[in-house]
Amino acid sequence: MGGEIVAGAGLTLLDWGPSRDDPQPLRARVVNVWTHPDWRRQGHARELVRACLTAGQARGVTRFALGTTPQGRALYEALGFAASGTEMTAHLPAPPPR
């Protein structure tokens, strides 16, 4: 445990451009979510994905996507994602203005 990395996740921001349905020009993709097998089912991935969503929302992003495995689907559904073809997507509210 001396500095060992046990989980990770990333967020990629995409300059999507505004659309008729959504004036927000950015979309986000949650990527590379993983947890070392010895550390699974302890909430690490959940907290990292939440941090990615919060970071995106802080930048005004409301639409998120990710790829998943059958093992990860329940986690992402609990965080607001829904199946969309081979991926999962979430449309989250914009944070209140500061």
Side-chain angles (χ1 to χ4, degrees):
M1 288 195 289
E4 178 183 5
I5 298 172
V6 300
L11 184 70
T12 300
L13 296 177
L14 306 167
D15 188 1
W16 200 263
S19 68
R20 189 174 333 137
D21 296 333
D22 187 356
Q24 170 52 249
L26 295 176
R27 301 285 190 275
R29 183 161 183 81
V30 178
V31 297
N32 301 331
V33 179
W34 65 275
T35 304
H36 186 283
D38 294 344
W39 293 85
R40 290 185 180 152
R41 314 253 350 126
Q42 297 179 39
H44 300 296
R46 177 180 308 274
E47 288 307 309
L48 289 170
V49 173
R50 279 187 182 149
C52 288
L53 298 176
T54 298
Q57 286 178 298
R59 289 163 179 79
V61 176
T62 60
R63 295 185 188 254
F64 296 81
L66 54 80
T68 187
T69 62
Q71 296 85 357
R73 188 172 297 271
L75 165 65
Y76 302 127
E77 286 174 345
L79 293 171
F81 286 83
S84 176
T86 59
E87 298 206 335
M88 297 186 80
T89 59
H91 187 187
L92 304 177
R98 293 182 191 200

